[in-house]
Amino acid sequence: MNMKDDNDPGVDDSFENVLEEAARNLQRRTSPGHSIARMNEGSRELVPLQLEERRLIHREESVRRQSDAFREIRTRLLGIAGQQNFVTLVVAVSPRSGGSFVTRNLAAAFAFDEAKTSLLIDCNLRYPSQHRALSVDPAGGGLIDFLEQPSLGIEPVLYRTGIPRLRLIPAGKARENSGEYFSSYRMSTMLDSLRCRYPDRYLFLDGPAIKGSPDARILSDLADFVVVVAGYGRDTPAAISQAVTNFDPEKMAGVVFNHVP
Ligand SMILES: Nc1ncnc2c1ncn2[C@@H]1O[C@H](COP(=O)(O)OP(=O)(O)O)[C@@H](O)[C@H]1O
Ligand SMILES: [Mg+2]
C-alpha cells in the first residue's frame, strides 16, 4: 500500500473527528466477558514467505511501512472505541482498488495484538476472494450457507487461517441477490452474537465496491465503522467524495489510499 505522501499515514485528516462521532454512537454492549485471545490454533503458524504469498503484512523489516500503516489505523480505531469490540466494514470505491487487501491486512493487524482476535467475514457474495487469498478450502460452506441454514451452527464456517487469532468466514456459494441476505434479521443477529460472545473479538466485513452495488451501503447499517479504500491514481477525488456520501457520516472512519501494484 503506498501512501499519498511520506507523512500521510494513509487515512485522511478528518479521521479522528469522525471516529469520535462514531464512538459516541457505539452502544454499550453486554458480554459474558470471557476471552478467546488464547485460542488454540491447532495448525502450524505461517512463515513470512507464506504471509507474503497471501499478500499479508508480517513483522519483518521488508514490509515495515505497510504494517505500520495498518497498525496506525488499528490504533486509531481502538483509541476511539475504547474498551468495546466493534464491527468494521471495509469497502473500495471501485472494484480492484484493494478493498479485500486492506480488509485482510487490517484484520491481521488486530490479530497481531496477542490480547485480541479478529474475524474476517467475506461479504462479497458475487466475487468472493478471501478464501483463495488465504488458501482456505471452504469445504464446510460459508456465510450464505449459514444464513440459509442457521441450525447447522456457526462453527463449521469459522476457519483457521494459519495466522494466530485470525479466523475467516468465507462467503460460501456464489449469490447474485446478496442485498437480501445482508438486510436480513439473521445477518444482524449473527453479527451481534459473534461480537458479543467474546469481548476481545473484532469483526471485519469485506464488502463489494461501492460503485455498482447497493451492498456496501446495506452492510454499513451493520457496522460501527466504515473504512473506504480508494485506488491511488484510480479513483478521482470526485468519485471518492461521491462514494463517501453513501454512508452515515457518524460511522465514516476514514479513507485509505491504496496503491495497487
Ligand atoms: N497494496 C497492495 N499491495 C500488494 N498487492 C495488492 C495491493 N492492493 C491490492 N493488491 C492486489 O491486487 C488485487 C486486487 O485487490 P483486491 O483487494 O482484491 O481489490 P478489491 O477487493 O477492491 O476488488 C489482489 O490480487 C490484491 O492482492
Ligand atoms: Mg474485494
Side-chain angles (χ1 to χ4, degrees):
M1 181 173 59
N2 280 4
M3 300 313 172
K4 238 184 343 189
D5 63 57
D6 278 351
N7 298 321
D8 185 344
V11 281
D12 72 5
D13 294 339
S14 54
F15 197 93
E16 255 155 286
N17 294 340
V18 281
L19 270 183
E20 269 164 38
E21 273 300 318
R24 275 198 282 277
N25 287 288
L26 273 177
Q27 289 154 7
R28 284 240 156 265
R29 300 188 188 100
T30 51
S31 70
H34 83 266
S35 155
I36 51 165
R38 285 194 207 107
M39 57 165 73
N40 175 21
E41 288 310 314
S43 55
R44 203 183 290 272
E45 193 174 328
L46 300 174
V47 299
L49 181 63
Q50 291 172 308
L51 292 166
E52 275 179 30
E53 284 166 2
R54 288 160 175 72
R55 296 263 188 275
L56 273 168
I57 53 170
H58 50 76
R59 292 190 171 84
E60 307 276 303
E61 198 55 39
S62 58
V63 293
R64 179 69 177 272
R65 212 155 146 251
Q66 280 197 342
S67 53
D68 281 353
F70 288 111
R71 283 208 189 88
E72 164 107 21
I73 303 172
R74 178 188 73 183
T75 304
R76 291 192 195 196
L77 287 168
L78 285 170
I80 298 302
Q83 295 301 307
Q84 286 172 115
N85 58 346
F86 46 83
V87 180
T88 305
L89 168 68
V90 184
V91 279
V93 174
S94 57
R96 308 294 296 165
S97 296
S100 298
F101 171 85
V102 171
T103 324
R104 181 161 72 249
N105 278 287
L106 191 56
F110 273 71
F112 282 175
D113 177 341
E114 287 173 15
K116 295 180 175 47
T117 67
S118 60
L119 177 57
L120 172 61
I121 307 180
D122 196 335
C123 298
N124 192 335
L125 304 187
R126 217 193 274 207
Y127 303 109
S129 64
Q130 298 293 3
H131 64 289
R132 225 171 291 125
L134 290 164
S135 291
V136 165
D137 173 13
L143 176 62
I144 286 309
D145 307 281
F146 172 77
L147 292 175
E148 287 186 348
Q149 230 183 321
S151 60
L152 295 177
I154 197 79
E155 278 304 320
V157 304
L158 280 172
Y159 295 77
R160 295 173 202 281
T161 60
I163 294 113
R165 299 175 297 280
L166 173 65
R167 294 280 193 268
L168 170 70
I169 298 184
K173 43 182 168 186
R175 274 282 185 274
E176 292 289 325
N177 52 346
S178 24
E180 270 174 40
Y181 289 94
F182 297 148
S183 54
S184 71
Y185 178 70
R186 277 182 188 173
M187 177 77 181
S188 62
T189 312
M190 181 199 78
L191 289 179
D192 277 346
S193 73
L194 284 168
R195 184 191 49 210
C196 294
R197 175 113 189 249
Y198 301 109
D200 53 8
R201 178 189 263 167
Y202 292 80
L203 279 67
F204 298 88
L205 311 181
D206 175 15
I210 300 159
K211 221 177 253 172
S213 165
D215 289 6
R217 197 196 45 72
I218 297 170
L219 283 165
S220 72
D221 287 340
L222 303 167
D224 299 303
F225 298 121
V226 180
V227 172
V228 168
V229 178
Y232 183 67
R234 295 166 57 110
D235 297 314
T236 62
I240 299 168
S241 313
Q242 174 61 39
V244 165
T245 60
N246 281 283
F247 306 111
D248 178 349
E250 295 180 340
K251 291 185 179 182
M252 259 308 296
V255 178
V256 174
F257 291 89
N258 180 47
H259 192 136
V260 185

